[in-house]
PDB file of all heavy atoms in Angstrom:
ATOM      1  N   ILE A   1      11.093   6.151  -4.012  1.00 74.00           N
ATOM      2  CA  ILE A   1       9.594   5.896  -4.112  1.00 74.00           C
ATOM      3  C   ILE A   1       9.061   5.492  -2.770  1.00 74.00           C
ATOM      4  O   ILE A   1       7.944   5.941  -2.452  1.00 74.00           O
ATOM      5  CB  ILE A   1       9.320   4.760  -5.168  1.00 74.00           C
ATOM      6  CG1 ILE A   1       9.845   5.142  -6.540  1.00 74.00           C
ATOM      7  CG2 ILE A   1       7.828   4.473  -5.276  1.00 74.00           C
ATOM      8  CD1 ILE A   1       9.241   6.421  -7.139  1.00 74.00           C
ATOM      9  N   SER A   2       9.899   4.804  -1.934  1.00 71.00           N
ATOM     10  CA  SER A   2       9.307   4.507  -0.598  1.00 71.00           C
ATOM     11  C   SER A   2       9.040   5.675   0.218  1.00 71.00           C
ATOM     12  O   SER A   2       8.025   5.769   0.936  1.00 71.00           O
ATOM     13  CB  SER A   2      10.401   3.665   0.118  1.00 71.00           C
ATOM     14  OG  SER A   2      10.674   2.439  -0.538  1.00 71.00           O
ATOM     15  N   GLY A   3       9.861   6.722   0.094  1.00 66.00           N
ATOM     16  CA  GLY A   3       9.624   7.959   0.845  1.00 66.00           C
ATOM     17  C   GLY A   3       8.331   8.637   0.429  1.00 66.00           C
ATOM     18  O   GLY A   3       7.566   9.150   1.206  1.00 66.00           O
ATOM     19  N   VAL A   4       8.066   8.695  -0.856  1.00 71.00           N
ATOM     20  CA  VAL A   4       6.847   9.249  -1.388  1.00 71.00           C
ATOM     21  C   VAL A   4       5.618   8.458  -0.840  1.00 71.00           C
ATOM     22  O   VAL A   4       4.674   9.087  -0.412  1.00 71.00           O
ATOM     23  CB  VAL A   4       6.852   9.142  -2.958  1.00 71.00           C
ATOM     24  CG1 VAL A   4       5.461   9.376  -3.533  1.00 71.00           C
ATOM     25  CG2 VAL A   4       7.900  10.161  -3.529  1.00 71.00           C
ATOM     26  N   THR A   5       5.803   7.157  -0.889  1.00 78.00           N
ATOM     27  CA  THR A   5       4.641   6.329  -0.371  1.00 78.00           C
ATOM     28  C   THR A   5       4.427   6.458   1.155  1.00 78.00           C
ATOM     29  O   THR A   5       3.294   6.494   1.608  1.00 78.00           O
ATOM     30  CB  THR A   5       4.897   4.869  -0.718  1.00 78.00           C
ATOM     31  OG1 THR A   5       5.288   4.712  -2.053  1.00 78.00           O
ATOM     32  CG2 THR A   5       3.591   4.025  -0.535  1.00 78.00           C
ATOM     33  N   ILE A   6       5.489   6.555   1.887  1.00 76.00           N
ATOM     34  CA  ILE A   6       5.366   6.759   3.337  1.00 76.00           C
ATOM     35  C   ILE A   6       4.600   8.116   3.613  1.00 76.00           C
ATOM     36  O   ILE A   6       3.733   8.166   4.467  1.00 76.00           O
ATOM     37  CB  ILE A   6       6.750   6.777   3.979  1.00 76.00           C
ATOM     38  CG1 ILE A   6       7.302   5.325   3.971  1.00 76.00           C
ATOM     39  CG2 ILE A   6       6.686   7.272   5.444  1.00 76.00           C
ATOM     40  CD1 ILE A   6       8.853   5.316   4.247  1.00 76.00           C
ATOM     41  N   ALA A   7       5.029   9.149   2.875  1.00 73.00           N
ATOM     42  CA  ALA A   7       4.334  10.425   3.100  1.00 73.00           C
ATOM     43  C   ALA A   7       2.867  10.310   2.724  1.00 73.00           C
ATOM     44  O   ALA A   7       1.988  10.921   3.398  1.00 73.00           O
ATOM     45  CB  ALA A   7       5.001  11.463   2.203  1.00 73.00           C
ATOM     46  N   THR A   8       2.551   9.564   1.654  1.00 79.00           N
ATOM     47  CA  THR A   8       1.135   9.358   1.256  1.00 79.00           C
ATOM     48  C   THR A   8       0.414   8.702   2.364  1.00 79.00           C
ATOM     49  O   THR A   8      -0.775   9.097   2.706  1.00 79.00           O
ATOM     50  CB  THR A   8       1.079   8.505  -0.023  1.00 79.00           C
ATOM     51  OG1 THR A   8       1.763   9.154  -1.062  1.00 79.00           O
ATOM     52  CG2 THR A   8      -0.340   8.254  -0.406  1.00 79.00           C
ATOM     53  N   VAL A   9       0.944   7.622   2.882  1.00 83.00           N
ATOM     54  CA  VAL A   9       0.231   6.822   3.960  1.00 83.00           C
ATOM     55  C   VAL A   9      -0.020   7.708   5.249  1.00 83.00           C
ATOM     56  O   VAL A   9      -1.090   7.709   5.724  1.00 83.00           O
ATOM     57  CB  VAL A   9       1.036   5.584   4.368  1.00 83.00           C
ATOM     58  CG1 VAL A   9       0.506   4.913   5.613  1.00 83.00           C
ATOM     59  CG2 VAL A   9       1.077   4.569   3.183  1.00 83.00           C
ATOM     60  N   ILE A  10       1.009   8.426   5.614  1.00 80.00           N
ATOM     61  CA  ILE A  10       0.856   9.218   6.847  1.00 80.00           C
ATOM     62  C   ILE A  10      -0.190  10.318   6.643  1.00 80.00           C
ATOM     63  O   ILE A  10      -1.045  10.502   7.382  1.00 80.00           O
ATOM     64  CB  ILE A  10       2.229   9.856   7.220  1.00 80.00           C
ATOM     65  CG1 ILE A  10       3.206   8.749   7.642  1.00 80.00           C
ATOM     66  CG2 ILE A  10       2.092  10.824   8.340  1.00 80.00           C
ATOM     67  CD1 ILE A  10       4.583   9.188   7.886  1.00 80.00           C
ATOM     68  N   VAL A  11      -0.063  11.131   5.528  1.00 81.00           N
ATOM     69  CA  VAL A  11      -0.959  12.216   5.255  1.00 81.00           C
ATOM     70  C   VAL A  11      -2.396  11.674   5.065  1.00 81.00           C
ATOM     71  O   VAL A  11      -3.345  12.244   5.752  1.00 81.00           O
ATOM     72  CB  VAL A  11      -0.514  12.984   3.988  1.00 81.00           C
ATOM     73  CG1 VAL A  11      -1.598  14.036   3.611  1.00 81.00           C
ATOM     74  CG2 VAL A  11       0.783  13.730   4.245  1.00 81.00           C
ATOM     75  N   SER A  12      -2.585  10.664   4.201  1.00 84.00           N
ATOM     76  CA  SER A  12      -3.990  10.224   4.037  1.00 84.00           C
ATOM     77  C   SER A  12      -4.604   9.585   5.242  1.00 84.00           C
ATOM     78  O   SER A  12      -5.794   9.684   5.509  1.00 84.00           O
ATOM     79  CB  SER A  12      -3.934   9.238   2.855  1.00 84.00           C
ATOM     80  OG  SER A  12      -3.173   8.097   3.076  1.00 84.00           O
ATOM     81  N   ALA A  13      -3.769   8.773   6.011  1.00 85.00           N
ATOM     82  CA  ALA A  13      -4.292   8.149   7.176  1.00 85.00           C
ATOM     83  C   ALA A  13      -4.708   9.258   8.238  1.00 85.00           C
ATOM     84  O   ALA A  13      -5.722   9.105   8.893  1.00 85.00           O
ATOM     85  CB  ALA A  13      -3.238   7.251   7.843  1.00 85.00           C
ATOM     86  N   LEU A  14      -3.938  10.286   8.448  1.00 84.00           N
ATOM     87  CA  LEU A  14      -4.276  11.299   9.352  1.00 84.00           C
ATOM     88  C   LEU A  14      -5.535  12.061   8.920  1.00 84.00           C
ATOM     89  O   LEU A  14      -6.389  12.391   9.787  1.00 84.00           O
ATOM     90  CB  LEU A  14      -3.078  12.307   9.513  1.00 84.00           C
ATOM     91  CG  LEU A  14      -1.920  11.779  10.239  1.00 84.00           C
ATOM     92  CD1 LEU A  14      -0.782  12.781  10.263  1.00 84.00           C
ATOM     93  CD2 LEU A  14      -2.212  11.341  11.696  1.00 84.00           C
ATOM     94  N   ILE A  15      -5.720  12.280   7.581  1.00 86.00           N
ATOM     95  CA  ILE A  15      -6.906  12.941   7.144  1.00 86.00           C
ATOM     96  C   ILE A  15      -8.149  12.048   7.311  1.00 86.00           C
ATOM     97  O   ILE A  15      -9.158  12.482   7.823  1.00 86.00           O
ATOM     98  CB  ILE A  15      -6.754  13.284   5.576  1.00 86.00           C
ATOM     99  CG1 ILE A  15      -5.731  14.414   5.413  1.00 86.00           C
ATOM    100  CG2 ILE A  15      -8.136  13.760   5.011  1.00 86.00           C
ATOM    101  CD1 ILE A  15      -5.392  14.713   3.939  1.00 86.00           C
ATOM    102  N   LEU A  16      -8.029  10.759   6.965  1.00 86.00           N
ATOM    103  CA  LEU A  16      -9.138   9.873   7.123  1.00 86.00           C
ATOM    104  C   LEU A  16      -9.426   9.586   8.616  1.00 86.00           C
ATOM    105  O   LEU A  16     -10.619   9.411   8.986  1.00 86.00           O
ATOM    106  CB  LEU A  16      -8.804   8.511   6.511  1.00 86.00           C
ATOM    107  CG  LEU A  16      -9.062   8.412   4.949  1.00 86.00           C
ATOM    108  CD1 LEU A  16      -8.791   6.990   4.556  1.00 86.00           C
ATOM    109  CD2 LEU A  16     -10.469   8.792   4.649  1.00 86.00           C
ATOM    110  N   LEU A  17      -8.438   9.682   9.431  1.00 85.00           N
ATOM    111  CA  LEU A  17      -8.661   9.534  10.929  1.00 85.00           C
ATOM    112  C   LEU A  17      -9.583  10.634  11.409  1.00 85.00           C
ATOM    113  O   LEU A  17     -10.452  10.379  12.268  1.00 85.00           O
ATOM    114  CB  LEU A  17      -7.367   9.556  11.642  1.00 85.00           C
ATOM    115  CG  LEU A  17      -7.409   9.335  13.144  1.00 85.00           C
ATOM    116  CD1 LEU A  17      -7.883   7.887  13.461  1.00 85.00           C
ATOM    117  CD2 LEU A  17      -6.048   9.548  13.796  1.00 85.00           C
ATOM    118  N   GLN A  18      -9.388  11.820  10.874  1.00 85.00           N
ATOM    119  CA  GLN A  18     -10.231  12.941  11.305  1.00 85.00           C
ATOM    120  C   GLN A  18     -11.645  12.832  10.720  1.00 85.00           C
ATOM    121  O   GLN A  18     -12.650  13.227  11.339  1.00 85.00           O
ATOM    122  CB  GLN A  18      -9.641  14.302  10.855  1.00 85.00           C
ATOM    123  CG  GLN A  18      -8.329  14.594  11.475  1.00 85.00           C
ATOM    124  CD  GLN A  18      -8.390  14.603  12.955  1.00 85.00           C
ATOM    125  OE1 GLN A  18      -9.197  15.215  13.618  1.00 85.00           O
ATOM    126  NE2 GLN A  18      -7.382  13.946  13.628  1.00 85.00           N
ATOM    127  N   LEU A  19     -11.775  12.250   9.523  1.00 85.00           N
ATOM    128  CA  LEU A  19     -13.062  12.174   8.857  1.00 85.00           C
ATOM    129  C   LEU A  19     -13.826  10.968   9.428  1.00 85.00           C
ATOM    130  O   LEU A  19     -15.091  11.034   9.506  1.00 85.00           O
ATOM    131  CB  LEU A  19     -12.868  12.002   7.352  1.00 85.00           C
ATOM    132  CG  LEU A  19     -12.215  13.168   6.629  1.00 85.00           C
ATOM    133  CD1 LEU A  19     -11.997  12.781   5.155  1.00 85.00           C
ATOM    134  CD2 LEU A  19     -13.178  14.370   6.716  1.00 85.00           C
ATOM    135  N   MET A  20     -13.176   9.866   9.698  1.00 85.00           N
ATOM    136  CA  MET A  20     -13.836   8.626  10.015  1.00 85.00           C
ATOM    137  C   MET A  20     -13.790   8.240  11.474  1.00 85.00           C
ATOM    138  O   MET A  20     -14.570   7.408  11.976  1.00 85.00           O
ATOM    139  CB  MET A  20     -13.249   7.450   9.163  1.00 85.00           C
ATOM    140  CG  MET A  20     -13.348   7.625   7.758  1.00 85.00           C
ATOM    141  SD  MET A  20     -12.458   6.341   6.755  1.00 85.00           S
ATOM    142  CE  MET A  20     -13.351   4.887   7.330  1.00 85.00           C
ATOM    143  N   GLY A  21     -12.793   8.795  12.209  1.00 81.00           N
ATOM    144  CA  GLY A  21     -12.566   8.265  13.575  1.00 81.00           C
ATOM    145  C   GLY A  21     -11.781   6.958  13.493  1.00 81.00           C
ATOM    146  O   GLY A  21     -11.370   6.567  12.484  1.00 81.00           O
ATOM    147  N   ASN A  22     -11.664   6.276  14.634  1.00 78.00           N
ATOM    148  CA  ASN A  22     -10.948   5.024  14.732  1.00 78.00           C
ATOM    149  C   ASN A  22     -11.660   3.912  15.559  1.00 78.00           C
ATOM    150  O   ASN A  22     -11.034   3.078  16.094  1.00 78.00           O
ATOM    151  CB  ASN A  22      -9.484   5.176  15.274  1.00 78.00           C
ATOM    152  CG  ASN A  22      -9.517   5.721  16.667  1.00 78.00           C
ATOM    153  OD1 ASN A  22     -10.602   6.124  17.191  1.00 78.00           O
ATOM    154  ND2 ASN A  22      -8.360   5.708  17.273  1.00 78.00           N
ATOM    155  N   GLU A  23     -12.935   4.030  15.536  1.00 81.00           N
ATOM    156  CA  GLU A  23     -13.735   3.090  16.203  1.00 81.00           C
ATOM    157  C   GLU A  23     -14.652   2.267  15.271  1.00 81.00           C
ATOM    158  O   GLU A  23     -15.068   2.830  14.262  1.00 81.00           O
ATOM    159  CB  GLU A  23     -14.620   3.786  17.304  1.00 81.00           C
ATOM    160  CG  GLU A  23     -13.738   4.478  18.435  1.00 81.00           C
ATOM    161  CD  GLU A  23     -14.623   5.090  19.452  1.00 81.00           C
ATOM    162  OE1 GLU A  23     -15.887   5.060  19.290  1.00 81.00           O
ATOM    163  OE2 GLU A  23     -14.129   5.636  20.438  1.00 81.00           O
ATOM    164  N   GLY A  24     -14.923   1.051  15.679  1.00 80.00           N
ATOM    165  CA  GLY A  24     -15.856   0.238  14.902  1.00 80.00           C
ATOM    166  C   GLY A  24     -15.289  -0.039  13.549  1.00 80.00           C
ATOM    167  O   GLY A  24     -14.125  -0.437  13.307  1.00 80.00           O
ATOM    168  N   MET A  25     -16.162   0.150  12.471  1.00 84.00           N
ATOM    169  CA  MET A  25     -15.774  -0.107  11.131  1.00 84.00           C
ATOM    170  C   MET A  25     -14.596   0.728  10.683  1.00 84.00           C
ATOM    171  O   MET A  25     -13.869   0.383   9.764  1.00 84.00           O
ATOM    172  CB  MET A  25     -16.985   0.056  10.173  1.00 84.00           C
ATOM    173  CG  MET A  25     -18.150  -0.943  10.409  1.00 84.00           C
ATOM    174  SD  MET A  25     -19.468  -0.694   9.196  1.00 84.00           S
ATOM    175  CE  MET A  25     -18.584  -1.256   7.703  1.00 84.00           C
ATOM    176  N   ALA A  26     -14.518   1.878  11.179  1.00 82.00           N
ATOM    177  CA  ALA A  26     -13.437   2.852  10.772  1.00 82.00           C
ATOM    178  C   ALA A  26     -12.070   2.272  10.953  1.00 82.00           C
ATOM    179  O   ALA A  26     -11.139   2.443  10.123  1.00 82.00           O
ATOM    180  CB  ALA A  26     -13.548   4.194  11.450  1.00 82.00           C
ATOM    181  N   ALA A  27     -11.836   1.538  12.104  1.00 82.00           N
ATOM    182  CA  ALA A  27     -10.613   0.999  12.395  1.00 82.00           C
ATOM    183  C   ALA A  27     -10.200  -0.021  11.362  1.00 82.00           C
ATOM    184  O   ALA A  27      -9.029  -0.349  11.119  1.00 82.00           O
ATOM    185  CB  ALA A  27     -10.562   0.408  13.809  1.00 82.00           C
ATOM    186  N   LYS A  28     -11.182  -0.671  10.753  1.00 85.00           N
ATOM    187  CA  LYS A  28     -10.915  -1.756   9.760  1.00 85.00           C
ATOM    188  C   LYS A  28     -10.819  -1.145   8.377  1.00 85.00           C
ATOM    189  O   LYS A  28      -9.903  -1.511   7.613  1.00 85.00           O
ATOM    190  CB  LYS A  28     -12.008  -2.823   9.859  1.00 85.00           C
ATOM    191  CG  LYS A  28     -11.890  -3.898   8.743  1.00 85.00           C
ATOM    192  CD  LYS A  28     -13.000  -4.843   8.817  1.00 85.00           C
ATOM    193  CE  LYS A  28     -12.934  -5.879   7.715  1.00 85.00           C
ATOM    194  NZ  LYS A  28     -14.064  -6.849   7.666  1.00 85.00           N
ATOM    195  N   LEU A  29     -11.798  -0.319   8.000  1.00 88.00           N
ATOM    196  CA  LEU A  29     -11.860   0.179   6.620  1.00 88.00           C
ATOM    197  C   LEU A  29     -10.875   1.330   6.339  1.00 88.00           C
ATOM    198  O   LEU A  29     -10.491   1.507   5.208  1.00 88.00           O
ATOM    199  CB  LEU A  29     -13.311   0.640   6.331  1.00 88.00           C
ATOM    200  CG  LEU A  29     -14.360  -0.444   6.437  1.00 88.00           C
ATOM    201  CD1 LEU A  29     -15.717   0.163   6.072  1.00 88.00           C
ATOM    202  CD2 LEU A  29     -14.085  -1.541   5.396  1.00 88.00           C
ATOM    203  N   GLY A  30     -10.571   2.098   7.427  1.00 88.00           N
ATOM    204  CA  GLY A  30      -9.655   3.226   7.197  1.00 88.00           C
ATOM    205  C   GLY A  30      -8.300   2.796   6.622  1.00 88.00           C
ATOM    206  O   GLY A  30      -7.819   3.293   5.589  1.00 88.00           O
ATOM    207  N   PRO A  31      -7.641   1.820   7.193  1.00 89.00           N
ATOM    208  CA  PRO A  31      -6.309   1.391   6.625  1.00 89.00           C
ATOM    209  C   PRO A  31      -6.461   0.801   5.211  1.00 89.00           C
ATOM    210  O   PRO A  31      -5.583   0.897   4.387  1.00 89.00           O
ATOM    211  CB  PRO A  31      -5.880   0.235   7.649  1.00 89.00           C
ATOM    212  CG  PRO A  31      -6.539   0.619   8.922  1.00 89.00           C
ATOM    213  CD  PRO A  31      -7.866   1.205   8.543  1.00 89.00           C
ATOM    214  N   ILE A  32      -7.630   0.198   4.916  1.00 90.00           N
ATOM    215  CA  ILE A  32      -7.843  -0.381   3.573  1.00 90.00           C
ATOM    216  C   ILE A  32      -7.888   0.770   2.520  1.00 90.00           C
ATOM    217  O   ILE A  32      -7.141   0.674   1.519  1.00 90.00           O
ATOM    218  CB  ILE A  32      -9.137  -1.213   3.522  1.00 90.00           C
ATOM    219  CG1 ILE A  32      -9.015  -2.434   4.482  1.00 90.00           C
ATOM    220  CG2 ILE A  32      -9.420  -1.619   2.113  1.00 90.00           C
ATOM    221  CD1 ILE A  32     -10.297  -3.246   4.575  1.00 90.00           C
ATOM    222  N   ALA A  33      -8.632   1.799   2.868  1.00 90.00           N
ATOM    223  CA  ALA A  33      -8.693   2.941   1.917  1.00 90.00           C
ATOM    224  C   ALA A  33      -7.320   3.599   1.752  1.00 90.00           C
ATOM    225  O   ALA A  33      -6.972   3.994   0.603  1.00 90.00           O
ATOM    226  CB  ALA A  33      -9.736   3.916   2.427  1.00 90.00           C
ATOM    227  N   VAL A  34      -6.614   3.682   2.797  1.00 89.00           N
ATOM    228  CA  VAL A  34      -5.264   4.318   2.754  1.00 89.00           C
ATOM    229  C   VAL A  34      -4.396   3.493   1.843  1.00 89.00           C
ATOM    230  O   VAL A  34      -3.625   4.067   1.073  1.00 89.00           O
ATOM    231  CB  VAL A  34      -4.690   4.388   4.204  1.00 89.00           C
ATOM    232  CG1 VAL A  34      -3.165   4.677   4.147  1.00 89.00           C
ATOM    233  CG2 VAL A  34      -5.394   5.439   5.024  1.00 89.00           C
ATOM    234  N   MET A  35      -4.443   2.139   1.961  1.00 91.00           N
ATOM    235  CA  MET A  35      -3.610   1.342   1.140  1.00 91.00           C
ATOM    236  C   MET A  35      -4.018   1.387  -0.365  1.00 91.00           C
ATOM    237  O   MET A  35      -3.142   1.295  -1.236  1.00 91.00           O
ATOM    238  CB  MET A  35      -3.507  -0.096   1.565  1.00 91.00           C
ATOM    239  CG  MET A  35      -2.928  -0.263   3.028  1.00 91.00           C
ATOM    240  SD  MET A  35      -1.434   0.686   3.241  1.00 91.00           S
ATOM    241  CE  MET A  35      -0.380   0.175   1.917  1.00 91.00           C
ATOM    242  N   TYR A  36      -5.305   1.514  -0.631  1.00 92.00           N
ATOM    243  CA  TYR A  36      -5.689   1.691  -2.002  1.00 92.00           C
ATOM    244  C   TYR A  36      -5.109   2.954  -2.583  1.00 92.00           C
ATOM    245  O   TYR A  36      -4.577   2.966  -3.686  1.00 92.00           O
ATOM    246  CB  TYR A  36      -7.273   1.822  -2.076  1.00 92.00           C
ATOM    247  CG  TYR A  36      -7.989   0.464  -2.163  1.00 92.00           C
ATOM    248  CD1 TYR A  36      -7.604  -0.639  -1.316  1.00 92.00           C
ATOM    249  CD2 TYR A  36      -9.117   0.311  -2.957  1.00 92.00           C
ATOM    250  CE1 TYR A  36      -8.287  -1.791  -1.296  1.00 92.00           C
ATOM    251  CE2 TYR A  36      -9.811  -0.918  -2.985  1.00 92.00           C
ATOM    252  CZ  TYR A  36      -9.396  -1.908  -2.187  1.00 92.00           C
ATOM    253  OH  TYR A  36     -10.069  -3.139  -2.193  1.00 92.00           O
ATOM    254  N   LEU A  37      -5.163   4.049  -1.784  1.00 91.00           N
ATOM    255  CA  LEU A  37      -4.630   5.314  -2.260  1.00 91.00           C
ATOM    256  C   LEU A  37      -3.090   5.239  -2.409  1.00 91.00           C
ATOM    257  O   LEU A  37      -2.531   5.681  -3.447  1.00 91.00           O
ATOM    258  CB  LEU A  37      -4.900   6.425  -1.241  1.00 91.00           C
ATOM    259  CG  LEU A  37      -4.404   7.833  -1.561  1.00 91.00           C
ATOM    260  CD1 LEU A  37      -4.901   8.369  -2.867  1.00 91.00           C
ATOM    261  CD2 LEU A  37      -4.622   8.755  -0.383  1.00 91.00           C
ATOM    262  N   ALA A  38      -2.414   4.619  -1.426  1.00 89.00           N
ATOM    263  CA  ALA A  38      -0.950   4.489  -1.508  1.00 89.00           C
ATOM    264  C   ALA A  38      -0.572   3.596  -2.704  1.00 89.00           C
ATOM    265  O   ALA A  38       0.434   3.892  -3.350  1.00 89.00           O
ATOM    266  CB  ALA A  38      -0.469   3.736  -0.188  1.00 89.00           C
ATOM    267  N   GLY A  39      -1.296   2.581  -3.014  1.00 91.00           N
ATOM    268  CA  GLY A  39      -0.986   1.733  -4.159  1.00 91.00           C
ATOM    269  C   GLY A  39      -1.041   2.515  -5.445  1.00 91.00           C
ATOM    270  O   GLY A  39      -0.172   2.332  -6.355  1.00 91.00           O
TER     271      GLY A  39
END
């Protein structure tokens, strides 16, 4: 299950990084949304 979750975090984080960027609020909210999805 860890492997599945790692793949989820990497894929979703890279997608959100392209959609949101990594500056300002994106740097804080991006990882939160990723962890919601991973959970």
Side-chain angles (χ1 to χ4, degrees):
I1 300 300
S2 297
V4 166
T5 312
I6 290 165
T8 300
V9 169
I10 294 173
V11 170
S12 59
L14 290 175
I15 291 173
L16 277 184
L17 184 64
Q18 298 304 312
L19 295 175
M20 300 174 62
N22 63 348
E23 297 181 357
M25 293 184 68
K28 176 183 177 182
L29 297 179
I32 296 174
V34 168
M35 295 318 305
Y36 275 41
L37 177 64

